Amino acid sequence: MMEVPKDQMETIAPYFEGIEDSMVKACLQGYMGNAYVKDLNQPKAALIISGEYSFFGGDSNSEDAKYLARNLFTVNFSSPTVGIFDEDRPDWERLLMSVPENHPRIVPRFGIIQKDYAFDCDELQKFVDALLEGFDLVPFDQAIYDQAMVEEWSREFCETFSSARDFLTRGFGYAVLKDGKLVSGASSMTVYDGGIEIQVATDTAYRQKGLALPCAAALIQECMRRKIRPCWDAANLISKKMALKLGYEYKGEYTTIHMSSQSM
């Protein structure tokens, strides 16, 4: 498998036109993530890897596509991974489900319409102000980055950036702390021209306390100040409900394929 150089991303960009995802944009624009093909000379399909996500595009019936699916974990060291493809290309689903060594299983996600929203500033501030007493809402800094990268539940806040310096230079986020410990947050999981992808998570021990909503609202406020688009995609019904409360619009359910190098 061959990695696509940053200055050759235009050769594979048409393969991903049906996927409205900021992580794809971030990779194609050379910001973060990596792209792979079977052969750089007239590839028929391509793979983009960004953190825990694997995006497949191009001719799903080609030998190139079969090669990428079968050799996914030679370049993707995040296991499990979430496989995403153009929902109008169901052949990708059949292909990914046909590779038993990847232990594939179908998992639905809940799409949010990707557009420029006119968020209600007063409503966002109400969410920020509703943070429970005893918790602190603060911007990400070096110490919070270090905490986030240590634990599994919070690593996705920053893992697509190459370092703390890279995250603090190009990314940003808001964290809820309890006695100095990171317990919830929202961050720019990826960045691209004019926008970010929001990642929201809460430590298991602190869930159902309404901590994530103030973080997400503060992050959206910061995006508004910077005049960039805060993209959202919901992995579960809780995330979907939070997105709608913040002012996003629901697009519909779509299929992803969860894959792993080992049995899940």
Side-chain angles (χ1 to χ4, degrees):
M1 196 175 300
M2 305 183 71
E3 184 170 351
V4 180
K6 301 296 184 187
D7 61 358
Q8 294 182 32
M9 290 294 181
E10 71 277 0
T11 63
I12 64 168
Y15 297 157
F16 296 95
E17 288 178 351
I19 304 178
E20 293 184 353
D21 195 290
S22 63
M23 285 181 279
V24 169
K25 292 181 181 178
C27 183
L28 295 176
Q29 291 175 2
Y31 285 104
M32 50 184 48
N34 303 93
Y36 300 91
V37 294
K38 181 174 185 272
D39 191 327
L40 288 171
N41 184 28
Q42 296 184 326
K44 299 293 191 298
L47 164 68
I48 286 176
I49 295 174
S50 183
E52 299 176 5
Y53 297 87
S54 300
F55 299 88
F56 295 85
D59 182 0
S60 56
N61 294 309
S62 65
E63 288 302 314
D64 287 32
K66 296 173 185 176
Y67 175 86
L68 294 174
R70 291 169 182 161
N71 293 278
L72 171 63
F73 290 106
T74 64
V75 291
N76 189 338
F77 304 109
S78 176
S79 181
T81 187
V82 179
I84 298 177
F85 46 89
D86 183 350
E87 57 188 310
D88 292 330
R89 299 292 302 274
D91 284 350
W92 274 112
E93 178 182 330
R94 287 192 283 272
L95 173 59
L96 297 179
M97 290 299 295
S98 73
V99 185
E101 57 266 35
N102 289 348
H103 306 97
R105 60 189 178 93
I106 294 175
V107 178
R109 284 179 75 93
F110 306 93
I112 303 299
I113 294 176
Q114 304 296 311
K115 68 174 187 177
D116 293 323
Y117 287 91
F119 292 102
D120 187 326
C121 298
D122 292 336
E123 195 69 14
L124 292 176
Q125 190 58 47
K126 287 179 183 178
F127 294 141
V128 172
D129 294 339
L131 181 66
L132 287 175
E133 187 175 347
F135 294 89
D136 298 308
L137 178 64
V138 298
F140 269 55
D141 59 12
Q142 173 81 52
I144 294 173
Y145 172 92
D146 293 339
Q147 285 194 56
M149 292 301 292
V150 168
E151 300 197 42
E152 186 66 30
W153 74 267
S154 56
R155 192 169 297 128
E156 203 168 353
F157 285 141
C158 312
E159 68 178 357
T160 56
F161 294 84
S162 62
S163 64
R165 181 178 180 180
D166 185 29
F167 176 81
L168 296 172
T169 299
R170 298 193 296 147
F172 54 97
Y174 284 85
V176 167
L177 306 181
K178 177 64 173 177
D179 299 326
K181 173 181 168 56
L182 173 65
V183 297
S184 185
S187 77
S188 54
M189 183 170 66
T190 56
V191 297
Y192 67 98
D193 287 340
I196 67 165
E197 176 82 17
I198 293 179
Q199 169 65 16
V200 180
T202 301
D203 186 348
T204 306
Y206 290 88
R207 290 177 183 171
Q208 298 184 331
K209 296 181 182 295
L211 302 180
L213 192 59
C215 299
L219 188 66
I220 292 171
Q221 287 178 324
E222 181 62 25
C223 288
M224 294 173 68
R225 285 190 284 270
R226 299 185 185 207
K227 294 181 170 51
I228 59 176
R229 176 187 290 184
C231 297
W232 190 294
D233 190 67
N236 52 55
L237 290 172
I238 295 174
S239 178
K240 173 191 168 184
K241 182 179 179 180
M242 189 185 307
L244 298 183
K245 186 176 291 189
L246 288 162
Y248 289 94
E249 297 176 19
Y250 184 51
K251 180 180 180 181
E253 186 175 312
Y254 67 99
T255 296
T256 68
I257 309 296
H258 284 212
M259 295 170 284
S260 176
S261 56
Q262 299 178 341
S263 180
M264 293 181 285

